[in-house]
Amino acid sequence: MTMKILPVHLVFLLTFLAGVFSLRHTAVHIKAGEMVALLCPHHKGSNDAELIWTSHTAQETLLISSISSAEQRQMGLLVHGRNLVILGASVNHQGKYSCSQGNASSEFMLTVYTEQSREYEEQTTYSTTCFTQEYCMLNCPDVNIPDVNTPNMTTNDIMWHKKGESFPIDGYFSSVEKNNHGIYTCTRSYLYDQQSYNRTFAVILDVKPKIIQKSPTINSPLQDDVFHVDLGSPAVISCIAVAFSDSDSLHWLSGNSMLKKNESLTVFYNETRENIDGEIHITASLVIKMVTEEDLSKHYTCKLDSDDTPSSVIITLAQKARPSYISLAVGSVCIIVVMLLTTAVYVKFKIHITLFLRDALGCLSSASDGQSYDAFLMCYKSDTDGLSEDDRECLKSVLEERFGYNLCLYDRDILPGKAVAEAVLDCIEQSRAVVLVPTSLDPGLGSGLLSVIHSALVEKKTRLVFIKTESTEVSKSGSVPEALQLLSEAGNCVTWKGKRSLMPSSSFFWNKLRYHLPAPQHVPKIRLLTQTV
Ligand SMILES: *[C@@H]1O[C@H](CO)[C@@H](O)[C@H](O)[C@H]1NC(C)=O
Ligand SMILES: *[C@@H]1O[C@H](CO)[C@@H](O)[C@H](O)[C@H]1NC(C)=O
Ligand SMILES: *[C@@H]1O[C@H](CO)[C@@H](O)[C@H](O)[C@H]1NC(C)=O
Ligand SMILES: *[C@@H]1O[C@H](CO)[C@@H](O)[C@H](O)[C@H]1NC(C)=O
Ligand SMILES: *[C@@H]1O[C@H](CO)[C@@H](O)[C@H](O)[C@H]1NC(C)=O
């Protein structure tokens, strides 16, 4: 929507000799009885100086600023800030007005019309252009109107009338039609000193035809758009316009060249006209029989040729996205990433997770299997450093006291008098797991006995936890007897890193050991203790 002032407001810029001061001369036209305000423009460098208004009418030359406000009021004048307001203009007010400040000044030529005249209308008519079926707002000009902050002056709402109609209307159209075209008047109304004053303007509304729709529509039908098409498939794009005359036509261009209506061409358009309530709706359909790569690089323009303003929309083609493949790929990648993360987390924390579940759910294997012991603690001779007497005592007490394991100990729980091999096998028989503990002292298990233990474990599928020293790891073969080698391979290994492994803070050693052992069948004593407190 544009507003332009039909009459060029005559502005003269006169530069006097030697540029002593510049003079602006503005023509102001007003109907008798109306209110008009003259605004003195700001002059550079003279803002501190006093502003002086003078009038030169047919009757007299008056220094307005020198008379009292009561006298000004009697003459229908009001000075506020940089404004000189002429409340109800009469022929007597007609003349030249000037405001001066320092060495700068501006001039106004005020013409007062007592009756409707062609000249007055020409000078005070403004215009607004809107397009069919669009929202359209009429703008009431704000030329030579008083400042809203003028003391004791009330500004009322703007009233709109269509010329020739007496009832007021709204100043806008939600969807403007051709028949809304015409001359409108807007009245700005002011109340001052119990007296009402008006300032009216005429506004010509010009309604122009416009392409109203494209099909398939995407976002806004009236904006230039990108249409998504399939390569190798046909595409039809329609453009609809409301025309005002039969001579208006709608057509399609490819680049700058006009397309033809010849249906035997690979790219053409066809046109239909329909009369809807006195309006001519023209539909032009662009038909591309098979979209090629080349078509994607071109601009297509739907153009309305009308007596008034031509209007057009530009369309570019783009290949349809393949959201299904993309989202499928993204989805798959996400699932894989999640699976990898889950696996990584499980591998990293499986010991913690298992022990946590075991502790949280009580015993995972709570069903009694008839065994008397959770584990059989058995020593073997390690070539390098092993657990001392104290270390073994510590290991035993933590497993029993803190974690609640019921242990079978060779030198404590085996009835004396039995042969060593028989006693060891008895212990294995009654235990759910066997823990082999390295010691520096030879416990007296010959390699023959180790082989017997190995076959017993394999036969009974008893769990074996092989605690090995750090050096056992390094010198895997050679110094370690073959029977021990077999046992270490058959069982789950937990590495003993010296005394620090037994510290309660060394959760790594304990967690790993507990992870490989079955859950204890009895409630840990530590829990019983806390429950009785
Ligand atoms: C007006 O007067 C001021 C000083 O009073 C001077 O600086 C300025 O240049 C003058 N302006 C013109 C347009 O002569
Ligand atoms: C506004 O009106 C009040 C009361 O009528 C009056 O006293 C006051 O002087 C007026 N102000 C101006 C700036 O005219
Ligand atoms: C001002 O305009 C309104 C609305 O058009 C009208 O009713 C009223 O009589 C006018 N007043 C004067 C003083 O012209
Ligand atoms: C339509 O195009 C075809 C092929 O280019 C041509 O042979 C034919 O003469 C054209 N028809 C008209 C009516 O222009
Ligand atoms: C214009 O061409 C399109 C595509 O071939 C077709 O669907 C439509 O009906 C045609 N319109 C007229 C008026 O021939």
Side-chain angles (χ1 to χ4, degrees), residues 70-312:
E71 282 175 295
Q72 288 171 3
R73 177 71 194 82
Q74 269 187 339
M75 302 177 74
L77 301 175
L78 174 69
V79 177
H80 169 245
R82 305 191 74 84
N83 278 287
L84 169 66
V85 184
I86 297 156
L87 290 164
S90 70
V91 197
N92 292 341
H93 288 112
Q94 183 163 294
K96 191 169 77 180
Y97 290 79
S98 64
C99 68
S100 58
Q101 197 172 23
N103 50 12
S105 92
S106 300
E107 278 198 2
F108 301 85
M109 271 312 289
L110 181 71
T111 314
V112 181
Y113 297 85
T114 48
E115 50 197 67
Q116 288 297 342
S117 80
R118 194 184 167 79
E119 191 197 349
Y120 172 73
E121 276 177 19
E122 270 174 14
Q123 297 295 329
T124 60
T125 302
Y126 297 77
S127 92
T128 292
T129 301
C130 287
F131 292 94
T132 42
Q133 301 195 357
E134 271 186 28
Y135 176 83
C136 171
M137 193 164 118
L138 297 167
N139 278 335
C140 190
D142 52 6
V143 179
N144 298 124
I145 58 165
D147 182 0
V148 284
N149 296 319
T150 310
N152 292 352
M153 186 181 281
T154 320
T155 308
N156 297 319
D157 289 340
I158 297 168
M159 301 274 281
W160 281 98
H161 288 85
K162 188 168 183 180
K163 204 154 194 176
E165 290 172 10
S166 55
F167 48 90
I169 57 149
D170 293 329
Y172 64 90
F173 304 91
S174 49
S175 171
V176 72
E177 298 297 341
K178 190 193 175 185
N179 59 15
N180 293 133
H181 154 97
I183 300 173
Y184 293 80
T185 58
C186 62
T187 306
R188 292 178 180 272
S189 170
Y190 303 88
L191 193 68
Y192 186 82
D193 204 4
Q194 287 139 38
Q195 187 82 37
S196 118
Y197 302 96
N198 287 344
R199 175 90 170 102
T200 56
F201 298 92
V203 176
I204 295 175
L205 173 64
D206 193 10
V207 182
K208 300 207 156 161
K210 168 121 199 195
I211 293 172
I212 56 162
Q213 202 187 333
K214 293 195 307 268
S215 165
T217 48
I218 298 186
N219 298 326
S220 159
L222 294 164
Q223 262 152 37
D224 295 346
D225 263 320
V226 172
F227 278 86
H228 291 94
V229 292
D230 282 321
L231 271 185
S233 302
V236 179
I237 299 161
S238 299
C239 168
I240 303 166
V242 174
F244 289 166
S245 105
D246 279 332
S247 62
D248 292 352
S249 69
L250 195 60
H251 47 254
W252 280 93
L253 288 87
S254 165
N256 290 325
S257 56
M258 188 93 95
L259 289 172
K260 296 197 174 73
K261 289 188 191 173
N262 186 339
E263 288 195 17
S264 51
L265 299 172
T266 53
V267 180
F268 67 94
Y269 75 96
N270 57 27
E271 190 205 82
T272 48
R273 282 165 187 264
E274 243 181 315
N275 196 324
I276 301 173
D277 301 332
E279 283 179 338
I280 304 155
H281 285 225
I282 311 175
T283 305
S285 299
L286 169 72
V287 182
I288 302 174
K289 285 182 180 161
M290 199 180 85
V291 179
T292 62
E293 288 275 3
E294 200 192 335
D295 296 321
L296 298 181
S297 60
K298 287 181 184 161
H299 291 294
Y300 292 92
T301 308
C302 174
K303 192 158 182 274
L304 173 68
D305 274 336
S306 142
D307 295 342
D308 301 295
T309 7
S311 71
S312 62

Side-chain angles (χ1 to χ4, degrees), residues 329-371:
V330 168
S332 311
V333 167
C334 285
I335 290 168
I336 291 168
V337 165
V338 167
M339 282 166 66
L340 286 177
L341 276 176
T342 312
T343 313
V345 165
Y346 180 71
V347 167
K348 183 113 208 274
F349 297 107
K350 68 175 175 193
I351 293 177
H352 294 87
I353 293 169
T354 308
L355 292 178
F356 169 78
L357 288 177
R358 213 185 259 178
D359 290 347
L361 305 176
C363 280
L364 281 181
S365 57
S366 56
S368 179
D369 49 7
Q371 311 285 74

